[in-house]
Amino acid sequence: MSTLRDRLADGAYALGWSTVKKLPEPVAVRLGRIIADLAWKRRGSGVRRLESNYARVVPDATPERLSELSRAGMRSYLRYWMESFRLPAWSAERVRTGFDPKDLHHLTDGLAAGKGVVVALPHLGNWDLAGAWATTGLGIPFTTVAERLKPESLYDRFVAYREGLGMEVLPHSGGSAFGTLARRLRAGGLVCLVADRDLSSSGVEVEFFGEKARMPAGPALLAQQTGALLLPVTLWFDDSPVMKGRIHPPVEIPATGTRAEKTSVMTQALADAFATGIADHPEDWHMLQRLWLADLEPRPEPSDREGP
């Protein structure tokens, strides 16, 4: 059954990249909104999880407000996919004008200093568009890491897609990614990592919207090991076709403490910057998975529960 689901998923993404990129932009926008609204009305597990996550971000939201947020969140999520399917067909000018970041000097000054820069982002807006803008608009190549998806053919599609946008893509698993990223940074390069969800189950515990969560240690460890600048970045959509973003001030490496203590402090600083961007634009946070530790804890089997 899982093999059939894998083939269907691979086929769906292949159809998206082959078909959606050929559509006129207004048609693609309308199609994305229709699909988002249909998915929202079905209230599958992803939509319910998205709404549950928004309840942490906006704790005083009424059920009606959370419902509105999850609908807007699904529309934002499908905007991400429709843009991503179409990115390979965008002209260089369309990519350059498709993203407008604030405080770009933090990035350009860091790269000019030759120290290397680690950019860490949450699942906000369209991180692929931000990456394509960096390679096209700034002419800066960078290295990133991708989760190994199943089937392998789907993972290969994502790697080919992102490499086609000018990114160097390393597999998350396998153990060699960290060393390659460190070498790129020591050479003064740019590394971009989506860093609000720990895929290793060995991440750093942080306080996030008043509850405990885990986030990956990689960005902080890379900055410590290489001396690279660590920059949080948040993204958001508005009513225009241009995505907005903010490059936050660098996360400082603490002067004292063990490596683990420094990593904890730096990862918490990333989480705080992410929370600022997410709180301002919750509907653009595409977190359809469990994140907080309270949601990740195993539930007791029926035999372990009290009562009949």
Side-chain angles (χ1 to χ4, degrees), residues 57 122 124 196 207-210 215 232-234 248 267-282 285 292:
V57 176
L124 267 173
D196 58 343
E207 190 83 10
F208 196 54
F209 290 103
M215 294 187 181
V233 173
T234 52
H248 296 252
T267 306
Q268 183 64 61
L270 283 180
D272 293 343
F274 294 167
T276 298
I278 293 167
D280 288 342
H281 305 278
W285 189 41
W292 281 273

Short mmCIF file of all heavy atoms in Angstrom, two decimals, residues 57 122 124 196 207-210 215 232-234 248 267-282 285 292:
data_model
loop_
_atom_site.label_atom_id
_atom_site.label_comp_id
_atom_site.label_asym_id
_atom_site.label_seq_id
_atom_site.Cartn_x
_atom_site.Cartn_y
_atom_site.Cartn_z
N VAL A 57 0.22 29.62 18.47
CA VAL A 57 0.73 30.91 18.01
C VAL A 57 -0.22 32.04 18.39
O VAL A 57 0.22 33.15 18.74
CB VAL A 57 0.95 30.87 16.48
CG1 VAL A 57 1.40 32.24 15.97
CG2 VAL A 57 1.98 29.81 16.12
N PRO A 122 12.44 29.45 9.13
CA PRO A 122 11.34 28.53 9.43
C PRO A 122 10.55 28.23 8.14
O PRO A 122 10.85 28.79 7.07
CB PRO A 122 10.49 29.32 10.42
CG PRO A 122 10.70 30.75 10.01
CD PRO A 122 12.10 30.85 9.44
N LEU A 124 8.19 29.34 6.54
CA LEU A 124 7.38 30.53 6.29
C LEU A 124 7.48 30.93 4.83
O LEU A 124 8.58 30.90 4.25
CB LEU A 124 7.87 31.70 7.14
CG LEU A 124 7.24 31.97 8.50
CD1 LEU A 124 8.02 33.07 9.21
CD2 LEU A 124 5.78 32.37 8.39
N ASP A 196 13.20 25.07 11.66
CA ASP A 196 12.23 25.14 12.76
C ASP A 196 11.66 23.79 13.14
O ASP A 196 10.81 23.71 14.02
CB ASP A 196 11.09 26.10 12.40
CG ASP A 196 10.35 25.70 11.13
OD1 ASP A 196 10.89 24.90 10.35
OD2 ASP A 196 9.22 26.21 10.91
N GLU A 207 12.20 27.00 24.07
CA GLU A 207 10.88 27.52 24.43
C GLU A 207 10.32 28.21 23.20
O GLU A 207 10.95 29.11 22.63
CB GLU A 207 11.01 28.51 25.59
CG GLU A 207 9.70 28.92 26.20
CD GLU A 207 9.18 27.92 27.22
OE1 GLU A 207 9.95 27.00 27.59
OE2 GLU A 207 8.02 28.05 27.64
N PHE A 208 9.13 27.76 22.77
CA PHE A 208 8.57 28.28 21.52
C PHE A 208 7.08 28.52 21.73
O PHE A 208 6.32 27.59 21.92
CB PHE A 208 8.81 27.25 20.40
CG PHE A 208 8.63 27.76 19.01
CD1 PHE A 208 9.31 28.89 18.57
CD2 PHE A 208 7.79 27.11 18.11
CE1 PHE A 208 9.16 29.36 17.27
CE2 PHE A 208 7.63 27.56 16.81
CZ PHE A 208 8.32 28.69 16.39
N PHE A 209 6.70 29.79 21.75
CA PHE A 209 5.32 30.18 22.03
C PHE A 209 4.84 29.56 23.35
O PHE A 209 3.72 29.07 23.45
CB PHE A 209 4.39 29.79 20.87
CG PHE A 209 4.61 30.62 19.64
CD1 PHE A 209 5.31 30.11 18.56
CD2 PHE A 209 4.14 31.93 19.56
CE1 PHE A 209 5.53 30.87 17.42
CE2 PHE A 209 4.35 32.70 18.43
CZ PHE A 209 5.04 32.17 17.35
N GLY A 210 5.72 29.60 24.37
CA GLY A 210 5.33 29.20 25.70
C GLY A 210 5.38 27.72 25.99
O GLY A 210 5.05 27.30 27.10
N MET A 215 14.49 22.06 18.06
CA MET A 215 14.93 22.57 16.77
C MET A 215 16.34 22.08 16.50
O MET A 215 17.09 21.76 17.43
CB MET A 215 14.84 24.10 16.74
CG MET A 215 13.42 24.59 16.82
SD MET A 215 13.24 26.38 16.59
CE MET A 215 11.45 26.53 16.79
N PRO A 232 19.06 34.66 11.22
CA PRO A 232 17.68 34.21 11.06
C PRO A 232 17.00 35.03 9.96
O PRO A 232 17.25 36.24 9.82
CB PRO A 232 17.04 34.51 12.42
CG PRO A 232 18.15 34.98 13.31
CD PRO A 232 19.26 35.45 12.44
N VAL A 233 16.16 34.38 9.18
CA VAL A 233 15.40 35.04 8.12
C VAL A 233 13.94 34.61 8.23
O VAL A 233 13.65 33.42 8.41
CB VAL A 233 15.95 34.70 6.72
CG1 VAL A 233 15.04 35.25 5.62
CG2 VAL A 233 17.36 35.26 6.55
N THR A 234 13.02 35.56 8.14
CA THR A 234 11.60 35.24 8.11
C THR A 234 10.98 35.81 6.83
O THR A 234 11.42 36.85 6.33
CB THR A 234 10.87 35.78 9.35
OG1 THR A 234 11.15 37.18 9.52
CG2 THR A 234 11.32 35.03 10.60
N HIS A 248 17.19 39.11 9.90
CA HIS A 248 17.35 39.57 11.28
C HIS A 248 18.83 39.78 11.60
O HIS A 248 19.71 39.23 10.93
CB HIS A 248 16.73 38.56 12.24
CG HIS A 248 15.25 38.40 12.07
ND1 HIS A 248 14.33 38.87 12.98
CD2 HIS A 248 14.52 37.83 11.08
CE1 HIS A 248 13.11 38.59 12.57
NE2 HIS A 248 13.20 37.95 11.42
N THR A 267 20.40 28.50 19.58
CA THR A 267 19.19 27.92 18.98
C THR A 267 17.95 28.56 19.56
O THR A 267 16.96 28.78 18.86
CB THR A 267 19.17 26.39 19.18
OG1 THR A 267 20.39 25.83 18.68
CG2 THR A 267 18.01 25.76 18.44
N GLN A 268 17.99 28.91 20.85
CA GLN A 268 16.87 29.65 21.43
C GLN A 268 16.73 31.03 20.78
O GLN A 268 15.60 31.50 20.54
CB GLN A 268 17.06 29.80 22.94
CG GLN A 268 15.90 30.51 23.64
CD GLN A 268 14.60 29.73 23.55
OE1 GLN A 268 14.51 28.60 24.02
NE2 GLN A 268 13.59 30.33 22.93
N ALA A 269 17.84 31.67 20.47
CA ALA A 269 17.78 32.96 19.79
C ALA A 269 17.15 32.82 18.41
O ALA A 269 16.37 33.68 17.98
CB ALA A 269 19.18 33.57 19.68
N LEU A 270 17.48 31.74 17.69
CA LEU A 270 16.82 31.48 16.41
C LEU A 270 15.32 31.29 16.61
O LEU A 270 14.51 31.86 15.86
CB LEU A 270 17.41 30.23 15.75
CG LEU A 270 18.76 30.34 15.07
CD1 LEU A 270 19.16 28.98 14.49
CD2 LEU A 270 18.75 31.39 13.97
N ALA A 271 14.95 30.48 17.59
CA ALA A 271 13.53 30.22 17.85
C ALA A 271 12.79 31.52 18.15
O ALA A 271 11.66 31.72 17.70
CB ALA A 271 13.38 29.24 19.01
N ASP A 272 13.43 32.42 18.91
CA ASP A 272 12.79 33.70 19.23
C ASP A 272 12.58 34.55 17.98
O ASP A 272 11.54 35.19 17.82
CB ASP A 272 13.64 34.46 20.24
CG ASP A 272 13.68 33.79 21.61
OD1 ASP A 272 12.82 32.93 21.89
OD2 ASP A 272 14.60 34.11 22.40
N ALA A 273 13.58 34.56 17.08
CA ALA A 273 13.44 35.31 15.84
C ALA A 273 12.35 34.70 14.97
O ALA A 273 11.53 35.41 14.37
CB ALA A 273 14.77 35.35 15.09
N PHE A 274 12.33 33.36 14.88
CA PHE A 274 11.28 32.69 14.11
C PHE A 274 9.90 33.04 14.67
O PHE A 274 8.96 33.31 13.91
CB PHE A 274 11.47 31.17 14.16
CG PHE A 274 12.70 30.66 13.47
CD1 PHE A 274 13.12 29.35 13.67
CD2 PHE A 274 13.44 31.46 12.62
CE1 PHE A 274 14.24 28.86 13.04
CE2 PHE A 274 14.58 30.98 11.98
CZ PHE A 274 14.98 29.67 12.20
N ALA A 275 9.79 33.03 16.01
CA ALA A 275 8.50 33.30 16.64
C ALA A 275 8.00 34.70 16.31
O ALA A 275 6.80 34.91 16.12
CB ALA A 275 8.61 33.11 18.16
N THR A 276 8.93 35.65 16.23
CA THR A 276 8.54 37.02 15.87
C THR A 276 7.90 37.05 14.49
O THR A 276 6.83 37.65 14.29
CB THR A 276 9.77 37.94 15.90
OG1 THR A 276 10.30 37.97 17.21
CG2 THR A 276 9.40 39.36 15.48
N GLY A 277 8.54 36.41 13.51
CA GLY A 277 8.00 36.40 12.16
C GLY A 277 6.71 35.61 12.05
O GLY A 277 5.78 36.01 11.34
N ILE A 278 6.63 34.50 12.76
CA ILE A 278 5.43 33.66 12.70
C ILE A 278 4.25 34.36 13.37
O ILE A 278 3.12 34.32 12.87
CB ILE A 278 5.70 32.29 13.35
CG1 ILE A 278 6.70 31.51 12.50
CG2 ILE A 278 4.42 31.49 13.53
CD1 ILE A 278 7.28 30.28 13.19
N ALA A 279 4.50 35.03 14.50
CA ALA A 279 3.43 35.75 15.19
C ALA A 279 2.87 36.87 14.32
O ALA A 279 1.66 37.16 14.35
CB ALA A 279 3.93 36.30 16.52
N ASP A 280 3.73 37.52 13.56
CA ASP A 280 3.29 38.61 12.68
C ASP A 280 2.50 38.09 11.48
O ASP A 280 1.61 38.78 10.98
CB ASP A 280 4.48 39.41 12.19
CG ASP A 280 5.11 40.27 13.28
OD1 ASP A 280 4.43 40.52 14.30
OD2 ASP A 280 6.27 40.70 13.11
N HIS A 281 2.83 36.87 11.02
CA HIS A 281 2.20 36.33 9.81
C HIS A 281 1.91 34.83 10.01
O HIS A 281 2.46 33.99 9.31
CB HIS A 281 3.11 36.54 8.60
CG HIS A 281 3.51 37.96 8.39
ND1 HIS A 281 2.71 38.88 7.77
CD2 HIS A 281 4.63 38.63 8.77
CE1 HIS A 281 3.32 40.06 7.74
NE2 HIS A 281 4.48 39.93 8.35
N PRO A 282 1.04 34.49 10.97
CA PRO A 282 0.83 33.07 11.27
C PRO A 282 0.30 32.27 10.09
O PRO A 282 0.64 31.09 9.94
CB PRO A 282 -0.18 33.11 12.42
CG PRO A 282 -0.83 34.45 12.35
CD PRO A 282 0.21 35.37 11.81
N TRP A 285 2.87 30.38 7.96
CA TRP A 285 3.69 29.32 8.56
C TRP A 285 3.10 27.97 8.17
O TRP A 285 2.02 27.61 8.60
CB TRP A 285 3.72 29.47 10.08
CG TRP A 285 4.70 28.56 10.77
CD1 TRP A 285 5.96 28.25 10.37
CD2 TRP A 285 4.49 27.90 12.02
NE1 TRP A 285 6.56 27.40 11.29
CE2 TRP A 285 5.67 27.18 12.30
CE3 TRP A 285 3.42 27.84 12.91
CZ2 TRP A 285 5.81 26.41 13.46
CZ3 TRP A 285 3.57 27.07 14.05
CH2 TRP A 285 4.75 26.37 14.31
N TRP A 292 5.59 20.56 18.76
CA TRP A 292 5.83 20.70 20.19
C TRP A 292 5.97 19.33 20.85
O TRP A 292 5.35 18.34 20.43
CB TRP A 292 4.71 21.49 20.84
CG TRP A 292 4.86 22.97 20.61
CD1 TRP A 292 5.57 23.85 21.37
CD2 TRP A 292 4.30 23.75 19.54
NE1 TRP A 292 5.49 25.12 20.84
CE2 TRP A 292 4.71 25.09 19.73
CE3 TRP A 292 3.47 23.45 18.44
CZ2 TRP A 292 4.34 26.12 18.87
CZ3 TRP A 292 3.10 24.46 17.58
CH2 TRP A 292 3.53 25.78 17.80
#
